[in-house]
Short mmCIF file of all heavy atoms in Angstrom, two decimals:
data_model
loop_
_atom_site.label_atom_id
_atom_site.label_comp_id
_atom_site.label_asym_id
_atom_site.label_seq_id
_atom_site.Cartn_x
_atom_site.Cartn_y
_atom_site.Cartn_z
N THR T 102 8.92 4.39 -4.37
CA THR T 102 9.01 5.80 -4.77
C THR T 102 10.43 6.33 -4.62
O THR T 102 10.93 7.05 -5.48
CB THR T 102 8.05 6.64 -3.90
OG1 THR T 102 6.77 6.01 -3.94
CG2 THR T 102 7.93 8.04 -4.43
N GLN T 180 5.66 0.16 -6.88
CA GLN T 180 4.63 1.07 -6.38
C GLN T 180 3.41 0.92 -7.27
O GLN T 180 3.56 0.79 -8.50
CB GLN T 180 5.16 2.49 -6.39
CG GLN T 180 5.70 2.88 -7.76
CD GLN T 180 6.35 4.25 -7.77
OE1 GLN T 180 5.66 5.24 -7.70
NE2 GLN T 180 7.67 4.28 -7.85
N GLN T 181 2.24 0.93 -6.68
CA GLN T 181 1.05 0.67 -7.49
C GLN T 181 0.66 1.88 -8.34
O GLN T 181 1.01 3.01 -8.01
CB GLN T 181 -0.11 0.28 -6.58
CG GLN T 181 0.15 -1.06 -5.91
CD GLN T 181 -1.09 -1.60 -5.23
OE1 GLN T 181 -1.28 -1.41 -4.05
NE2 GLN T 181 -1.94 -2.26 -6.00
N HIS T 182 -0.06 1.61 -9.39
CA HIS T 182 -0.76 2.58 -10.26
C HIS T 182 0.11 3.29 -11.31
O HIS T 182 -0.41 3.74 -12.32
CB HIS T 182 -1.52 3.66 -9.45
CG HIS T 182 -2.19 3.12 -8.23
ND1 HIS T 182 -3.22 2.20 -8.31
CD2 HIS T 182 -1.97 3.33 -6.90
CE1 HIS T 182 -3.62 1.89 -7.08
NE2 HIS T 182 -2.87 2.54 -6.21
N TRP T 221 1.95 7.63 -7.78
CA TRP T 221 0.72 7.46 -6.99
C TRP T 221 0.34 8.68 -6.16
O TRP T 221 -0.79 8.80 -5.72
CB TRP T 221 0.85 6.23 -6.09
CG TRP T 221 1.98 6.33 -5.10
CD1 TRP T 221 3.30 6.05 -5.34
CD2 TRP T 221 1.90 6.76 -3.74
NE1 TRP T 221 4.04 6.28 -4.21
CE2 TRP T 221 3.21 6.71 -3.21
CE3 TRP T 221 0.86 7.17 -2.92
CZ2 TRP T 221 3.50 7.07 -1.91
CZ3 TRP T 221 1.16 7.54 -1.60
CH2 TRP T 221 2.47 7.48 -1.12
N ARG T 254 -4.87 8.77 -8.47
CA ARG T 254 -3.61 8.08 -8.76
C ARG T 254 -3.79 6.85 -9.62
O ARG T 254 -2.81 6.29 -10.11
CB ARG T 254 -2.92 7.71 -7.46
CG ARG T 254 -3.68 6.67 -6.62
CD ARG T 254 -3.09 6.60 -5.22
NE ARG T 254 -3.55 5.46 -4.44
CZ ARG T 254 -4.73 5.34 -3.85
NH1 ARG T 254 -5.64 6.29 -4.02
NH2 ARG T 254 -5.02 4.28 -3.13
N PHE T 255 -5.00 6.36 -9.79
CA PHE T 255 -5.21 5.10 -10.50
C PHE T 255 -4.80 5.21 -11.97
O PHE T 255 -4.86 6.28 -12.58
CB PHE T 255 -6.67 4.65 -10.35
CG PHE T 255 -6.88 3.77 -9.14
CD1 PHE T 255 -6.35 4.11 -7.92
CD2 PHE T 255 -7.59 2.57 -9.22
CE1 PHE T 255 -6.50 3.31 -6.79
CE2 PHE T 255 -7.76 1.75 -8.12
CZ PHE T 255 -7.22 2.12 -6.90
N ASP T 369 3.19 -3.16 -4.75
CA ASP T 369 3.91 -3.22 -3.46
C ASP T 369 2.99 -3.66 -2.32
O ASP T 369 3.42 -4.40 -1.42
CB ASP T 369 4.61 -1.89 -3.13
CG ASP T 369 3.70 -0.69 -3.12
OD1 ASP T 369 2.53 -0.80 -3.53
OD2 ASP T 369 4.16 0.39 -2.72
N ASN T 370 1.73 -3.23 -2.35
CA ASN T 370 0.83 -3.67 -1.27
C ASN T 370 0.50 -5.16 -1.37
O ASN T 370 0.62 -5.88 -0.38
CB ASN T 370 -0.42 -2.79 -1.22
CG ASN T 370 -0.06 -1.39 -0.74
OD1 ASN T 370 0.42 -1.22 0.36
ND2 ASN T 370 -0.24 -0.40 -1.60
N HIS T 408 -10.43 -0.27 -0.98
CA HIS T 408 -10.05 -0.97 -2.21
C HIS T 408 -10.13 -2.47 -2.05
O HIS T 408 -9.76 -3.00 -1.00
CB HIS T 408 -8.60 -0.66 -2.59
CG HIS T 408 -8.28 0.79 -2.63
ND1 HIS T 408 -8.68 1.62 -3.64
CD2 HIS T 408 -7.59 1.57 -1.78
CE1 HIS T 408 -8.25 2.84 -3.41
NE2 HIS T 408 -7.58 2.83 -2.28
N PHE T 410 -8.64 -5.82 -4.21
CA PHE T 410 -7.78 -6.28 -5.30
C PHE T 410 -7.90 -7.79 -5.37
O PHE T 410 -8.19 -8.43 -4.35
CB PHE T 410 -6.31 -5.95 -5.04
CG PHE T 410 -6.00 -4.47 -4.98
CD1 PHE T 410 -6.20 -3.75 -3.81
CD2 PHE T 410 -5.52 -3.81 -6.09
CE1 PHE T 410 -5.92 -2.40 -3.75
CE2 PHE T 410 -5.23 -2.45 -6.04
CZ PHE T 410 -5.44 -1.74 -4.87
N MET T 422 -7.89 -3.33 1.09
CA MET T 422 -6.90 -2.32 1.52
C MET T 422 -7.58 -1.02 1.93
O MET T 422 -8.41 -0.49 1.20
CB MET T 422 -5.92 -2.05 0.40
CG MET T 422 -4.90 -0.98 0.76
SD MET T 422 -3.57 -0.85 -0.45
CE MET T 422 -4.29 0.29 -1.58
N CYS T 424 -6.36 2.78 2.81
CA CYS T 424 -5.15 3.56 2.61
C CYS T 424 -5.39 5.00 3.06
O CYS T 424 -6.20 5.71 2.47
CB CYS T 424 -4.82 3.50 1.11
SG CYS T 424 -3.25 4.14 0.66
C1 XUL R 947 -1.75 2.20 -2.98
C2 XUL R 947 -0.86 3.36 -3.19
C3 XUL R 947 0.47 3.35 -2.55
C4 XUL R 947 1.49 2.95 -3.59
C5 XUL R 947 2.90 3.31 -3.22
O1 XUL R 947 -2.99 2.34 -3.59
O2 XUL R 947 -1.17 4.27 -3.91
O3 XUL R 947 0.52 2.54 -1.43
O4 XUL R 947 1.35 1.60 -3.89
O5 XUL R 947 3.42 2.62 -2.22
#
Side-chain angles (χ1 to χ4, degrees):
T102 310
Q180 53 185 287
Q181 293 191 264
H182 321 296
W221 61 277
R254 66 193 192 284
F255 270 46
D369 56 351
N370 291 299
H408 308 285
F410 295 84
M422 178 170 88
C424 190

